[in-house]
Amino acid sequence: IRSTWAMLFIRLLFLLFSCYTFSCIGKMLKDQDQTLFLKPKDCPVVEGESRTVIKAFESVEQGEGRGARVRRSLGRPELRYLDPFLMLDEFKLLADPEVGFPDHPHRGFETVTYLIQGAFEHEDFNGHRGILGDGDLQWMTAGRGIVHSETPVVGSDNTLNWGIQLWVNLKSEDKMCEPSYQELKGKDIPKVNADGVRVNIISGEAFGVSSPIKTRTPTYYLDFEMEPRKTLKQPIPTSYNSFLLVIVGSAVFGANKVKVDAHHTIVLSGPDSGTHIEVTTEDEYCKFVVVSGQPIGEPVVQRGPFVMNTPKEIEQAFLDYYSKANGFENMKGWHSRAVKEGRF
């Protein structure tokens, strides 16, 4: 009898240990990047013609915020606006307590912050607060009004904060919606590795894999890395406008085979001009983002952080902001922690 009970006890211990082990393995897999590896034969076939490059220009570095430096791709003289996109900045900030983007407002559009490297703190006047880390994404719909702060995390191990911020316009019917957030940790952004072509699918679709991000304005936002001597054919919905930012290295883009280097913006031919963008690397690695979206086709009036359809709506936005009303009520008595600490 004793031996029987001993065997049962040993089996129970083994079962408990097995459950614990599988639980740990499951947690480890969950915490790791969920990358889909594809062989060339498994990649979706892309048919039709590639779009062409109609413009390429250098994204010159400029000052922005408090002590920050950015390379602006969209929202500069060479490319003021590409419907539905308003601005795209690549930023690199040191973890300095006096550098960043302290308390400031937005109305009428969305800001998309994608942190490639670093630790960035976000806080708004509605009580939403958090930290973006390596590879993390925040898709913020400002709607009728938000006041927030974006600053490097002081005292972190990150000496460099490197990322991209995109501004996406909203249709007139969505401009006064309630503010909201969609946030993804880097490990939760869908990824594909297709024989030396890697992509983080921030929004939209690549290689048959879709992002969970839901966009009010239909948008593809894809972060690609390509090893030397590789070719990519990335589909673009035929009704979308599209542009690219080359971040590192160089590659040959479009049906007209234009070689473009790092820190340059590429504007592609417009809707109905091709089904995809073809990219080929030569002897160099290349990192770039492809941004494509459905044009809204409405008037755009922008004054600083407010984007509406008419001058009168812009005047009302400033009036609401300064009077702390109609979406800006929570400004009363609010300051971000960075401001309260005297950093700005």
Side-chain angles (χ1 to χ4, degrees), residues 136-156:
D136 291 354
L137 169 72
Q138 180 191 80
W139 198 293
M140 184 185 82
T141 302
R144 65 199 302 259
I146 202 84
V147 177
H148 71 157
S149 171
E150 303 160 291
T151 57
V153 175
V154 178
S156 70

Side-chain angles (χ1 to χ4, degrees), residues 114-133:
Y114 175 49
L115 195 64
I116 299 170
Q117 172 188 330
F120 226 61
E121 184 173 15
H122 172 271
E123 181 181 0
D124 75 19
F125 71 176
N126 290 327
H128 187 90
R129 183 176 172 185
I131 293 176
L132 298 180

Side-chain angles (χ1 to χ4, degrees), residues 324-338:
K324 301 179 177 60
N326 196 24
F328 293 105
E329 293 87 350
N330 289 341
M331 280 182 61
K332 298 172 183 177
W334 180 84
H335 296 288
S336 68
R337 186 175 70 168

Side-chain angles (χ1 to χ4, degrees), residues 59 71 73 88-92 114 116 162-165 202 221-225 244-251 253 260-266 284-291:
S59 304
R71 287 185 179 272
S73 302
L88 186 137
D89 282 349
E90 178 192 359
F91 59 86
K92 288 185 178 181
Y114 175 49
I116 299 170
W162 177 25
I164 302 171
Q165 187 169 92
I202 299 167
Y221 187 1
L222 308 168
D223 173 19
F224 281 99
E225 294 179 88
L244 298 85
L245 171 64
V246 182
I247 300 171
V248 179
S250 66
F253 296 86
V260 183
D261 296 323
H263 309 309
H264 281 69
T265 300
I266 301 167
E284 188 176 16
Y285 159 92
C286 189
K287 179 180 178 68
F288 59 93
V289 293
V290 179
V291 183

